[in-house]
PDB file of all heavy atoms in Angstrom:
ATOM      1  N   GLU Y   1     -11.761   7.741   9.299  1.00  0.00           N
ATOM      2  CA  GLU Y   1     -11.230   8.724  10.239  1.00  0.00           C
ATOM      3  C   GLU Y   1     -10.007   9.323   9.604  1.00  0.00           C
ATOM      4  O   GLU Y   1      -9.095   8.617   9.157  1.00  0.00           O
ATOM      5  CB  GLU Y   1     -10.935   8.115  11.607  1.00  0.00           C
ATOM      6  CG  GLU Y   1     -10.429   9.081  12.587  1.00  0.00           C
ATOM      7  CD  GLU Y   1     -10.056   8.467  13.909  1.00  0.00           C
ATOM      8  OE1 GLU Y   1      -9.457   7.386  13.877  1.00  0.00           O
ATOM      9  OE2 GLU Y   1     -10.398   9.053  14.936  1.00  0.00           O
ATOM     10  N   PHE Y   2      -9.892  10.697   9.680  1.00  0.00           N
ATOM     11  CA  PHE Y   2      -8.700  11.436   9.294  1.00  0.00           C
ATOM     12  C   PHE Y   2      -8.310  12.333  10.434  1.00  0.00           C
ATOM     13  O   PHE Y   2      -9.117  12.518  11.343  1.00  0.00           O
ATOM     14  CB  PHE Y   2      -9.022  12.239   8.034  1.00  0.00           C
ATOM     15  CG  PHE Y   2      -9.167  11.478   6.777  1.00  0.00           C
ATOM     16  CD1 PHE Y   2     -10.383  10.812   6.501  1.00  0.00           C
ATOM     17  CD2 PHE Y   2      -8.129  11.380   5.843  1.00  0.00           C
ATOM     18  CE1 PHE Y   2     -10.565  10.091   5.338  1.00  0.00           C
ATOM     19  CE2 PHE Y   2      -8.287  10.715   4.681  1.00  0.00           C
ATOM     20  CZ  PHE Y   2      -9.461  10.035   4.410  1.00  0.00           C
ATOM     21  N   GLU Y   3      -7.126  12.846  10.387  1.00  0.00           N
ATOM     22  CA  GLU Y   3      -6.682  13.767  11.464  1.00  0.00           C
ATOM     23  C   GLU Y   3      -7.488  15.041  11.564  1.00  0.00           C
ATOM     24  O   GLU Y   3      -7.544  15.619  12.623  1.00  0.00           O
ATOM     25  CB  GLU Y   3      -5.198  14.099  11.309  1.00  0.00           C
ATOM     26  CG  GLU Y   3      -4.317  12.865  11.530  1.00  0.00           C
ATOM     27  CD  GLU Y   3      -2.813  13.244  11.383  1.00  0.00           C
ATOM     28  OE1 GLU Y   3      -2.485  14.445  11.349  1.00  0.00           O
ATOM     29  OE2 GLU Y   3      -2.057  12.305  11.280  1.00  0.00           O
ATOM     30  N   SER Y   4      -8.043  15.492  10.443  1.00  0.00           N
ATOM     31  CA  SER Y   4      -8.865  16.726  10.407  1.00  0.00           C
ATOM     32  C   SER Y   4      -9.734  16.729   9.159  1.00  0.00           C
ATOM     33  O   SER Y   4      -9.575  15.989   8.240  1.00  0.00           O
ATOM     34  CB  SER Y   4      -7.896  17.909  10.361  1.00  0.00           C
ATOM     35  OG  SER Y   4      -7.223  17.998   9.147  1.00  0.00           O
ATOM     36  N   VAL Y   5     -10.690  17.660   9.255  1.00  0.00           N
ATOM     37  CA  VAL Y   5     -11.562  17.893   8.077  1.00  0.00           C
ATOM     38  C   VAL Y   5     -10.760  18.412   6.955  1.00  0.00           C
ATOM     39  O   VAL Y   5     -10.998  18.038   5.784  1.00  0.00           O
ATOM     40  CB  VAL Y   5     -12.804  18.786   8.455  1.00  0.00           C
ATOM     41  CG1 VAL Y   5     -13.535  19.258   7.241  1.00  0.00           C
ATOM     42  CG2 VAL Y   5     -13.759  18.131   9.483  1.00  0.00           C
ATOM     43  N   ALA Y   6      -9.806  19.284   7.232  1.00  0.00           N
ATOM     44  CA  ALA Y   6      -8.958  19.793   6.109  1.00  0.00           C
ATOM     45  C   ALA Y   6      -8.220  18.704   5.378  1.00  0.00           C
ATOM     46  O   ALA Y   6      -8.093  18.706   4.167  1.00  0.00           O
ATOM     47  CB  ALA Y   6      -7.954  20.803   6.758  1.00  0.00           C
ATOM     48  N   GLN Y   7      -7.746  17.669   6.160  1.00  0.00           N
ATOM     49  CA  GLN Y   7      -7.169  16.556   5.529  1.00  0.00           C
ATOM     50  C   GLN Y   7      -8.055  15.750   4.651  1.00  0.00           C
ATOM     51  O   GLN Y   7      -7.690  15.303   3.607  1.00  0.00           O
ATOM     52  CB  GLN Y   7      -6.533  15.642   6.636  1.00  0.00           C
ATOM     53  CG  GLN Y   7      -5.584  14.579   6.107  1.00  0.00           C
ATOM     54  CD  GLN Y   7      -4.934  13.809   7.313  1.00  0.00           C
ATOM     55  OE1 GLN Y   7      -5.368  13.869   8.471  1.00  0.00           O
ATOM     56  NE2 GLN Y   7      -3.820  13.139   6.993  1.00  0.00           N
ATOM     57  N   ILE Y   8      -9.313  15.623   5.097  1.00  0.00           N
ATOM     58  CA  ILE Y   8     -10.359  14.949   4.281  1.00  0.00           C
ATOM     59  C   ILE Y   8     -10.529  15.768   2.939  1.00  0.00           C
ATOM     60  O   ILE Y   8     -10.559  15.131   1.873  1.00  0.00           O
ATOM     61  CB  ILE Y   8     -11.704  14.858   5.063  1.00  0.00           C
ATOM     62  CG1 ILE Y   8     -11.594  13.978   6.198  1.00  0.00           C
ATOM     63  CG2 ILE Y   8     -12.810  14.467   4.083  1.00  0.00           C
ATOM     64  CD1 ILE Y   8     -12.791  14.015   7.152  1.00  0.00           C
ATOM     65  N   LYS Y   9     -10.622  17.029   3.007  1.00  0.00           N
ATOM     66  CA  LYS Y   9     -10.823  17.874   1.822  1.00  0.00           C
ATOM     67  C   LYS Y   9      -9.688  17.731   0.825  1.00  0.00           C
ATOM     68  O   LYS Y   9      -9.827  17.719  -0.357  1.00  0.00           O
ATOM     69  CB  LYS Y   9     -11.177  19.226   2.189  1.00  0.00           C
ATOM     70  CG  LYS Y   9     -12.534  19.371   2.844  1.00  0.00           C
ATOM     71  CD  LYS Y   9     -12.943  20.706   3.214  1.00  0.00           C
ATOM     72  CE  LYS Y   9     -14.354  20.699   3.865  1.00  0.00           C
ATOM     73  NZ  LYS Y   9     -14.764  22.108   4.236  1.00  0.00           N
ATOM     74  N   THR Y  10      -8.413  17.596   1.384  1.00  0.00           N
ATOM     75  CA  THR Y  10      -7.259  17.373   0.588  1.00  0.00           C
ATOM     76  C   THR Y  10      -7.389  16.043  -0.146  1.00  0.00           C
ATOM     77  O   THR Y  10      -7.090  15.961  -1.322  1.00  0.00           O
ATOM     78  CB  THR Y  10      -5.954  17.499   1.431  1.00  0.00           C
ATOM     79  OG1 THR Y  10      -5.906  18.813   1.974  1.00  0.00           O
ATOM     80  CG2 THR Y  10      -4.719  17.208   0.598  1.00  0.00           C
ATOM     81  N   TRP Y  11      -7.757  15.024   0.573  1.00  0.00           N
ATOM     82  CA  TRP Y  11      -7.945  13.707  -0.024  1.00  0.00           C
ATOM     83  C   TRP Y  11      -9.059  13.701  -1.102  1.00  0.00           C
ATOM     84  O   TRP Y  11      -8.847  13.229  -2.181  1.00  0.00           O
ATOM     85  CB  TRP Y  11      -8.296  12.676   1.072  1.00  0.00           C
ATOM     86  CG  TRP Y  11      -8.803  11.348   0.510  1.00  0.00           C
ATOM     87  CD1 TRP Y  11      -8.118  10.468  -0.261  1.00  0.00           C
ATOM     88  CD2 TRP Y  11     -10.083  10.814   0.703  1.00  0.00           C
ATOM     89  NE1 TRP Y  11      -8.916   9.380  -0.516  1.00  0.00           N
ATOM     90  CE2 TRP Y  11     -10.185   9.591   0.057  1.00  0.00           C
ATOM     91  CE3 TRP Y  11     -11.296  11.243   1.331  1.00  0.00           C
ATOM     92  CZ2 TRP Y  11     -11.273   8.788  -0.032  1.00  0.00           C
ATOM     93  CZ3 TRP Y  11     -12.411  10.424   1.301  1.00  0.00           C
ATOM     94  CH2 TRP Y  11     -12.398   9.214   0.577  1.00  0.00           C
ATOM     95  N   LEU Y  12     -10.178  14.373  -0.790  1.00  0.00           N
ATOM     96  CA  LEU Y  12     -11.237  14.404  -1.803  1.00  0.00           C
ATOM     97  C   LEU Y  12     -10.904  15.168  -3.061  1.00  0.00           C
ATOM     98  O   LEU Y  12     -11.381  14.821  -4.127  1.00  0.00           O
ATOM     99  CB  LEU Y  12     -12.444  15.094  -1.150  1.00  0.00           C
ATOM    100  CG  LEU Y  12     -13.201  14.310  -0.092  1.00  0.00           C
ATOM    101  CD1 LEU Y  12     -14.269  15.168   0.618  1.00  0.00           C
ATOM    102  CD2 LEU Y  12     -13.861  13.043  -0.566  1.00  0.00           C
ATOM    103  N   ALA Y  13     -10.003  16.147  -2.930  1.00  0.00           N
ATOM    104  CA  ALA Y  13      -9.523  16.890  -4.132  1.00  0.00           C
ATOM    105  C   ALA Y  13      -8.321  16.316  -4.823  1.00  0.00           C
ATOM    106  O   ALA Y  13      -7.951  16.874  -5.888  1.00  0.00           O
ATOM    107  CB  ALA Y  13      -9.226  18.344  -3.658  1.00  0.00           C
ATOM    108  N   SER Y  14      -7.711  15.281  -4.241  1.00  0.00           N
ATOM    109  CA  SER Y  14      -6.493  14.685  -4.798  1.00  0.00           C
ATOM    110  C   SER Y  14      -6.846  14.023  -6.163  1.00  0.00           C
ATOM    111  O   SER Y  14      -7.897  13.480  -6.419  1.00  0.00           O
ATOM    112  CB  SER Y  14      -5.931  13.697  -3.904  1.00  0.00           C
ATOM    113  OG  SER Y  14      -6.714  12.500  -3.845  1.00  0.00           O
ATOM    114  N   PRO Y  15      -5.842  14.166  -7.119  1.00  0.00           N
ATOM    115  CA  PRO Y  15      -6.051  13.487  -8.443  1.00  0.00           C
ATOM    116  C   PRO Y  15      -6.320  11.964  -8.326  1.00  0.00           C
ATOM    117  O   PRO Y  15      -7.109  11.461  -9.115  1.00  0.00           O
ATOM    118  CB  PRO Y  15      -4.752  13.803  -9.168  1.00  0.00           C
ATOM    119  CG  PRO Y  15      -4.122  14.966  -8.469  1.00  0.00           C
ATOM    120  CD  PRO Y  15      -4.591  14.831  -7.018  1.00  0.00           C
ATOM    121  N   GLU Y  16      -5.706  11.319  -7.334  1.00  0.00           N
ATOM    122  CA  GLU Y  16      -5.881   9.898  -7.254  1.00  0.00           C
ATOM    123  C   GLU Y  16      -7.300   9.560  -6.903  1.00  0.00           C
ATOM    124  O   GLU Y  16      -7.878   8.635  -7.459  1.00  0.00           O
ATOM    125  CB  GLU Y  16      -5.015   9.354  -6.114  1.00  0.00           C
ATOM    126  CG  GLU Y  16      -3.541   9.664  -6.179  1.00  0.00           C
ATOM    127  CD  GLU Y  16      -3.204  11.018  -5.496  1.00  0.00           C
ATOM    128  OE1 GLU Y  16      -3.926  11.430  -4.655  1.00  0.00           O
ATOM    129  OE2 GLU Y  16      -2.193  11.595  -5.915  1.00  0.00           O
ATOM    130  N   PHE Y  17      -7.924  10.421  -6.009  1.00  0.00           N
ATOM    131  CA  PHE Y  17      -9.305  10.106  -5.612  1.00  0.00           C
ATOM    132  C   PHE Y  17     -10.318  10.577  -6.681  1.00  0.00           C
ATOM    133  O   PHE Y  17     -11.238   9.937  -6.953  1.00  0.00           O
ATOM    134  CB  PHE Y  17      -9.702  10.626  -4.254  1.00  0.00           C
ATOM    135  CG  PHE Y  17     -11.088  10.342  -3.838  1.00  0.00           C
ATOM    136  CD1 PHE Y  17     -11.406   9.045  -3.477  1.00  0.00           C
ATOM    137  CD2 PHE Y  17     -12.086  11.234  -3.905  1.00  0.00           C
ATOM    138  CE1 PHE Y  17     -12.693   8.699  -3.135  1.00  0.00           C
ATOM    139  CE2 PHE Y  17     -13.378  10.923  -3.613  1.00  0.00           C
ATOM    140  CZ  PHE Y  17     -13.669   9.601  -3.180  1.00  0.00           C
ATOM    141  N   THR Y  18     -10.083  11.736  -7.226  1.00  0.00           N
ATOM    142  CA  THR Y  18     -11.024  12.273  -8.198  1.00  0.00           C
ATOM    143  C   THR Y  18     -11.204  11.351  -9.392  1.00  0.00           C
ATOM    144  O   THR Y  18     -12.305  11.179  -9.925  1.00  0.00           O
ATOM    145  CB  THR Y  18     -10.749  13.684  -8.629  1.00  0.00           C
ATOM    146  OG1 THR Y  18      -9.390  13.746  -9.184  1.00  0.00           O
ATOM    147  CG2 THR Y  18     -10.855  14.661  -7.521  1.00  0.00           C
ATOM    148  N   ASP Y  19     -10.088  10.674  -9.818  1.00  0.00           N
ATOM    149  CA  ASP Y  19     -10.206   9.662 -10.896  1.00  0.00           C
ATOM    150  C   ASP Y  19     -11.060   8.502 -10.447  1.00  0.00           C
ATOM    151  O   ASP Y  19     -11.909   7.992 -11.201  1.00  0.00           O
ATOM    152  CB  ASP Y  19      -8.802   9.170 -11.311  1.00  0.00           C
ATOM    153  CG  ASP Y  19      -8.024  10.198 -12.075  1.00  0.00           C
ATOM    154  OD1 ASP Y  19      -8.581  11.215 -12.467  1.00  0.00           O
ATOM    155  OD2 ASP Y  19      -6.785   9.987 -12.170  1.00  0.00           O
ATOM    156  N   LEU Y  20     -10.887   8.079  -9.205  1.00  0.00           N
ATOM    157  CA  LEU Y  20     -11.646   6.952  -8.719  1.00  0.00           C
ATOM    158  C   LEU Y  20     -13.117   7.286  -8.470  1.00  0.00           C
ATOM    159  O   LEU Y  20     -14.013   6.468  -8.618  1.00  0.00           O
ATOM    160  CB  LEU Y  20     -11.044   6.374  -7.385  1.00  0.00           C
ATOM    161  CG  LEU Y  20      -9.666   5.693  -7.543  1.00  0.00           C
ATOM    162  CD1 LEU Y  20      -9.147   5.296  -6.192  1.00  0.00           C
ATOM    163  CD2 LEU Y  20      -9.817   4.476  -8.475  1.00  0.00           C
ATOM    164  N   ARG Y  21     -13.357   8.581  -8.097  1.00  0.00           N
ATOM    165  CA  ARG Y  21     -14.691   8.997  -7.872  1.00  0.00           C
ATOM    166  C   ARG Y  21     -15.590   8.794  -9.111  1.00  0.00           C
ATOM    167  O   ARG Y  21     -16.754   8.427  -9.036  1.00  0.00           O
ATOM    168  CB  ARG Y  21     -14.726  10.470  -7.407  1.00  0.00           C
ATOM    169  CG  ARG Y  21     -16.145  10.873  -7.012  1.00  0.00           C
ATOM    170  CD  ARG Y  21     -16.286  12.381  -6.696  1.00  0.00           C
ATOM    171  NE  ARG Y  21     -15.043  13.005  -6.345  1.00  0.00           N
ATOM    172  CZ  ARG Y  21     -14.881  13.827  -5.342  1.00  0.00           C
ATOM    173  NH1 ARG Y  21     -15.794  14.141  -4.521  1.00  0.00           N
ATOM    174  NH2 ARG Y  21     -13.678  14.434  -5.120  1.00  0.00           N
ATOM    175  N   GLU Y  22     -15.007   9.048 -10.271  1.00  0.00           N
ATOM    176  CA  GLU Y  22     -15.722   8.843 -11.544  1.00  0.00           C
ATOM    177  C   GLU Y  22     -16.175   7.348 -11.659  1.00  0.00           C
ATOM    178  O   GLU Y  22     -17.277   7.048 -12.113  1.00  0.00           O
ATOM    179  CB  GLU Y  22     -14.903   9.298 -12.698  1.00  0.00           C
ATOM    180  CG  GLU Y  22     -14.636  10.768 -12.752  1.00  0.00           C
ATOM    181  CD  GLU Y  22     -15.897  11.579 -12.663  1.00  0.00           C
ATOM    182  OE1 GLU Y  22     -16.909  11.268 -13.372  1.00  0.00           O
ATOM    183  OE2 GLU Y  22     -15.943  12.551 -11.938  1.00  0.00           O
ATOM    184  N   ILE Y  23     -15.287   6.429 -11.234  1.00  0.00           N
ATOM    185  CA  ILE Y  23     -15.649   5.018 -11.279  1.00  0.00           C
ATOM    186  C   ILE Y  23     -16.789   4.755 -10.326  1.00  0.00           C
ATOM    187  O   ILE Y  23     -17.726   4.016 -10.668  1.00  0.00           O
ATOM    188  CB  ILE Y  23     -14.386   4.134 -10.981  1.00  0.00           C
ATOM    189  CG1 ILE Y  23     -13.339   4.309 -12.073  1.00  0.00           C
ATOM    190  CG2 ILE Y  23     -14.812   2.687 -10.837  1.00  0.00           C
ATOM    191  CD1 ILE Y  23     -11.993   3.745 -11.661  1.00  0.00           C
ATOM    192  N   ARG Y  24     -16.723   5.302  -9.170  1.00  0.00           N
ATOM    193  CA  ARG Y  24     -17.766   5.132  -8.195  1.00  0.00           C
ATOM    194  C   ARG Y  24     -19.080   5.661  -8.641  1.00  0.00           C
ATOM    195  O   ARG Y  24     -20.120   5.048  -8.489  1.00  0.00           O
ATOM    196  CB  ARG Y  24     -17.409   5.814  -6.766  1.00  0.00           C
ATOM    197  CG  ARG Y  24     -18.318   5.237  -5.674  1.00  0.00           C
ATOM    198  CD  ARG Y  24     -18.337   6.052  -4.475  1.00  0.00           C
ATOM    199  NE  ARG Y  24     -19.003   7.326  -4.689  1.00  0.00           N
ATOM    200  CZ  ARG Y  24     -18.674   8.483  -4.249  1.00  0.00           C
ATOM    201  NH1 ARG Y  24     -17.587   8.662  -3.492  1.00  0.00           N
ATOM    202  NH2 ARG Y  24     -19.331   9.584  -4.529  1.00  0.00           N
ATOM    203  N   HIS Y  25     -19.106   6.849  -9.294  1.00  0.00           N
ATOM    204  CA  HIS Y  25     -20.310   7.406  -9.812  1.00  0.00           C
ATOM    205  C   HIS Y  25     -20.955   6.514 -10.863  1.00  0.00           C
ATOM    206  O   HIS Y  25     -22.144   6.505 -11.041  1.00  0.00           O
ATOM    207  CB  HIS Y  25     -20.061   8.789 -10.401  1.00  0.00           C
ATOM    208  CG  HIS Y  25     -19.798   9.828  -9.354  1.00  0.00           C
ATOM    209  ND1 HIS Y  25     -19.357  11.099  -9.686  1.00  0.00           N
ATOM    210  CD2 HIS Y  25     -19.927   9.836  -8.009  1.00  0.00           C
ATOM    211  CE1 HIS Y  25     -19.225  11.800  -8.539  1.00  0.00           C
ATOM    212  NE2 HIS Y  25     -19.562  11.064  -7.550  1.00  0.00           N
ATOM    213  N   ARG Y  26     -20.126   5.830 -11.619  1.00  0.00           N
ATOM    214  CA  ARG Y  26     -20.704   4.898 -12.652  1.00  0.00           C
ATOM    215  C   ARG Y  26     -21.202   3.576 -12.042  1.00  0.00           C
ATOM    216  O   ARG Y  26     -21.936   2.879 -12.689  1.00  0.00           O
ATOM    217  CB  ARG Y  26     -19.592   4.541 -13.655  1.00  0.00           C
ATOM    218  CG  ARG Y  26     -19.215   5.743 -14.584  1.00  0.00           C
ATOM    219  CD  ARG Y  26     -18.429   5.264 -15.831  1.00  0.00           C
ATOM    220  NE  ARG Y  26     -17.447   4.261 -15.581  1.00  0.00           N
ATOM    221  CZ  ARG Y  26     -16.118   4.464 -15.363  1.00  0.00           C
ATOM    222  NH1 ARG Y  26     -15.702   5.716 -15.298  1.00  0.00           N
ATOM    223  NH2 ARG Y  26     -15.302   3.469 -15.190  1.00  0.00           N
ATOM    224  N   SER Y  27     -20.780   3.252 -10.832  1.00  0.00           N
ATOM    225  CA  SER Y  27     -21.126   1.925 -10.301  1.00  0.00           C
ATOM    226  C   SER Y  27     -21.874   1.947  -8.976  1.00  0.00           C
ATOM    227  O   SER Y  27     -22.236   0.864  -8.493  1.00  0.00           O
ATOM    228  CB  SER Y  27     -19.796   1.135 -10.096  1.00  0.00           C
ATOM    229  OG  SER Y  27     -18.968   1.787  -9.167  1.00  0.00           O
ATOM    230  N   ALA Y  28     -22.169   3.142  -8.448  1.00  0.00           N
ATOM    231  CA  ALA Y  28     -22.860   3.131  -7.178  1.00  0.00           C
ATOM    232  C   ALA Y  28     -23.445   4.538  -6.935  1.00  0.00           C
ATOM    233  O   ALA Y  28     -23.036   5.544  -7.570  1.00  0.00           O
ATOM    234  CB  ALA Y  28     -21.876   2.905  -5.977  1.00  0.00           C
TER     235      ALA Y  28
END
């Protein structure tokens, strides 16, 4: 849960998460 969909999109586009997303794509 986030305060808004806009906040989710900010998280999804953040450098911290985009680096981790690559790890997730390799493992799940």
Side-chain angles (χ1 to χ4, degrees):
E1 179 181 46
F2 289 79
E3 290 180 17
S4 67
V5 170
Q7 192 174 16
I8 293 168
K9 291 181 179 182
T10 299
W11 167 64
L12 290 171
S14 71
E16 307 86 24
F17 182 73
T18 55
D19 289 347
L20 290 176
R21 185 184 341 223
E22 294 305 317
I23 296 169
R24 194 196 73 218
H25 285 171
R26 290 194 320 265
S27 62

